[in-house]
Amino acid sequence: MANRTDPLAKSIRGTNPQNLVEKILRSKIYQNTYWKEQCFGLTAETLVDKAMELDHLGGTFGGNRKPSPFICLVMKMLQIQPEKDIVVEFIKNEDYKYVRVLGAFYLRLTGTDIDIYRYLEPLYNDYRKLRRKLADGQYALTHVDEYIDELLTTDYSCDIALPRIKKRWILEQNKQLEPRRSALEDDFEEEEEKDEDEQLATGLDDEHEKDYYRGGNPARERDRDRRRDSHRHRDRDYDRDRDYDRDRDYDRERGRRDRDRDRDRDKDRHRLRDDKDYGRERDRERDRERDRRDRGRRRSYSRSRSRSRDRKDREDDRRKRHARSSASPARDEPKKKKEKKEKKEKKDDGTDHPDPEIAEANRLRASLGLKPLKL
């Protein structure tokens, strides 16, 4: 709730006023002790007292980039959005220089181009010293007119990006601003008047003085021509500076367009290169996938072929074994018949008689071709 923008505040440049400060700096300000203790509950009236206590200006400082009280008060002004009259009174305050600088910085962030030039250019005549806190925590000496020139000519101040404003000569061409009149011109005119008075006070005779006042004096004519030439040269220098600023802005804009064109060309080139690399990588991945699929197909084919070969070998072994087992009884049958026949013959010879003597006699008789003894 303490960090929310005032509901009655108007949007600045199409956005929330607090969004003019970058998010990182904004979060650091919200976490700062000065913001929580000193800026809580401030209004447009009570903020003046805190601004009068300022003794330096700056953005962030230190290793952890701690925000300064000056930038915290700028953030508070963006949050409560004081009226334009209050900001103008801040700028016109001649007693407290930091109050004036605070109002000028806020107007540079939120004001229009015409108001910025109208209210900030008179501060070029303020030459008072200011203390500025640098990023390393050290203090540096500057002046009010130098800081106002920084606000009007640069795009970054106190770690905040300043909104872009139009050049003064563009506003003069559109007749929205009158040509700037320097405060030194009055001094120049006073000096010229003093010179004329001194010439009048010299010991000139009456006739010479009459000629001088009538305008026939060559010295007076030379002085008038010199003053006219000085004014003409001053106007010519101003026109030259304005033309130089216009040419510099045109060159800067053309250089920016060239850089953008080169950047876009580089992006297209890199995009085409990335597309080629992506296509090449995709083709390589497709070939790798095809090789992997073919390798798997060959492996499965060889596995199935070896499996069928093993199955065929097993079938052949089973068939041979069955043929061997079926052919062995037919081969052994004559042997058995022969053995049975021999046993019969042995039994008919009587050689297997239990009585050894009879068996011996039967063998002898069989050798002689006689019949065995039958007992």
Side-chain angles (χ1 to χ4, degrees), residues 93 183 196:
N93 191 335
E196 291 180 358

Side-chain angles (χ1 to χ4, degrees), residues 219-233:
R220 182 185 177 93
E221 292 294 334
R222 282 196 302 272
D223 294 337
R224 188 182 297 113
D225 294 339
R226 190 181 299 112
R227 287 196 300 270
R228 191 182 299 113
D229 293 339
S230 65
H231 287 294
R232 190 180 298 113
H233 286 304

Side-chain angles (χ1 to χ4, degrees), residues 141-154:
L141 178 65
T142 184
H143 298 81
V144 177
D145 58 334
E146 293 179 1
Y147 188 69
I148 297 300
D149 185 69
E150 177 182 333
L151 293 179
L152 292 177
T153 57
T154 61

Side-chain angles (χ1 to χ4, degrees), residues 287-334:
D287 296 339
R288 200 178 296 121
E289 184 66 25
R290 191 184 299 112
D291 294 340
R292 196 182 300 115
R293 201 182 301 116
D294 294 341
R295 198 180 303 114
R297 193 180 295 114
R298 286 196 300 271
R299 191 182 296 116
S300 62
Y301 176 71
S302 61
R303 193 182 296 118
S304 62
R305 192 168 59 181
S306 62
R307 197 182 294 117
S308 61
R309 192 184 299 115
D310 295 340
R311 193 183 299 112
K312 191 174 181 181
D313 293 340
R314 282 198 300 271
E315 289 291 336
D316 294 340
D317 293 341
R318 193 182 298 112
R319 202 176 292 112
K320 288 179 181 179
R321 203 179 302 115
H322 180 68
R324 193 181 301 115
S325 61
S326 60
S328 57
R331 193 181 302 121
D332 295 338
E333 191 171 349

Side-chain angles (χ1 to χ4, degrees), residues 334-349 351-352:
K335 292 183 179 180
K336 289 181 179 180
K337 288 182 178 180
K338 190 175 181 180
E339 289 177 356
K340 286 181 179 180
K341 195 173 183 180
E342 289 178 356
K343 286 181 179 180
K344 278 185 179 181
E345 290 179 355
K346 287 182 180 178
K347 288 181 180 179
D348 292 341
D349 293 342
T351 55
D352 56 348

